[in-house]
Amino acid sequence: LDPLIKKSLAVLASAAVVVFVYFGAYLPYAKSQKLISAISSVQGGTSLQGYEKSFSSVLDYYSPVGQEESVKQLGNSTLSILSNQKNLPKDVAEELLKFNLKYFEPLIEFSRGGNASQNILILGQIYHTMALAYNDINYLDIAISYYKKGLDNSPRRPQFLYSLLEVYQQKGDYNSAIKTGEEILTYWPNDTKVKQNIETM
């Protein structure tokens, strides 16, 4: 080959390596470090603004990988707050929900398979937890819609079926609860707790 062509190819190869390292290693590493920092900063307690600022620094940081895991961590952290802080004002909880939806909805729209199902499950659990915390049936209905959507996406996934059974009972919709319980028993016929549940209803 012509020396000039050889030199050009070498330059291109070097540039390709730099690009690969930057997108394939540096950006994911930087995002993971930001996530670790965000989780650490909110575990000790912080204001709503501090919470959103910490997670925004991660979730708004571009990396070709790592967004799904970062959003999942946001959702699990929010669930923990809603479950453990019994006197959390409803307007604060609703702001947390709004912040989660900003990042969860695009993932649910474009993800497929197991990842999408996990995101749907976490959102359903957030609405479910808020329904119980604030005695709000509207949140309960939204939780049901997410659990159903998750079941459509991942048929027979136990978390969706058992969550639907629970939420139908809490709503007082015993016909739907019994139907869901019977579906569970077609897959797991030895679940005596579900059998007792159906008999009680």
Side-chain angles (χ1 to χ4, degrees):
L1 286 177
D2 184 278
L4 183 59
I5 294 176
K6 284 184 176 180
K7 187 176 181 180
S8 298
L9 289 173
V11 170
L12 287 172
S14 298
V17 169
V18 170
V19 170
F20 175 78
V21 170
Y22 180 72
F23 286 96
Y26 173 75
L27 289 178
Y29 174 78
K31 191 176 184 78
S32 68
Q33 292 303 302
K34 287 178 176 289
L35 178 59
I36 291 169
S37 177
I39 293 172
S40 298
S41 68
V42 301
Q43 280 180 341
T46 183
S47 65
L48 177 61
Q49 290 75 20
Y51 186 86
E52 293 184 353
K53 183 179 179 180
S54 294
F55 272 103
S56 291
S57 69
V58 183
L59 299 166
D60 295 337
Y61 183 84
Y62 173 74
S63 170
V65 296
Q67 184 71 357
E68 192 104 32
E69 178 62 27
S70 299
V71 173
K72 186 172 77 172
Q73 290 296 332
L74 167 67
N76 287 332
S77 176
T78 299
L79 264 175
S80 178
I81 290 171
L82 293 173
S83 300
N84 297 321
Q85 295 191 20
K86 301 302 182 183
N87 297 317
L88 189 70
K90 189 176 182 181
D91 61 330
V92 173
E94 288 176 337
E95 176 59 33
L96 274 174
L97 171 62
K98 183 179 176 182
F99 183 69
N100 275 261
L101 289 173
K102 175 183 175 182
Y103 296 101
F104 268 96
E105 286 182 335
L107 285 183
I108 289 173
E109 184 177 354
F110 296 109
S111 297
R112 293 293 180 270
N115 286 336
S117 296
Q118 186 61 31
N119 298 328
I120 292 168
L121 178 64
I122 291 172
L123 268 187
Q125 290 172 332
I126 289 174
Y127 276 105
H128 195 168
T129 303
M130 289 181 66
L132 300 179
Y134 302 105
N135 194 28
D136 191 328
I137 195 170
N138 293 318
Y139 287 139
L140 215 53
D141 288 334
I142 298 172
I144 288 172
S145 71
Y146 273 107
Y147 292 149
K148 283 183 173 180
K149 184 175 182 178
L151 204 56
D152 289 339
N153 193 68
S154 294
R156 293 184 58 179
R157 184 164 182 172
Q159 293 94 328
F160 292 119
L161 285 167
Y162 282 92
S163 294
L164 275 172
L165 174 60
E166 181 181 348
V167 79
Y168 281 136
Q169 286 183 283
Q170 289 163 346
K171 189 180 177 183
D173 184 352
Y174 297 116
N175 287 332
S176 296
I178 291 170
K179 184 178 177 181
T180 304
E182 289 172 344
E183 184 176 356
I184 290 171
L185 291 177
T186 62
Y187 302 131
W188 302 283
N190 296 322
D191 192 327
T192 55
K193 187 175 179 181
V194 171
K195 287 179 182 177
Q196 291 169 356
N197 239 336
I198 292 175
E199 289 171 3
T200 301
M201 286 186 287

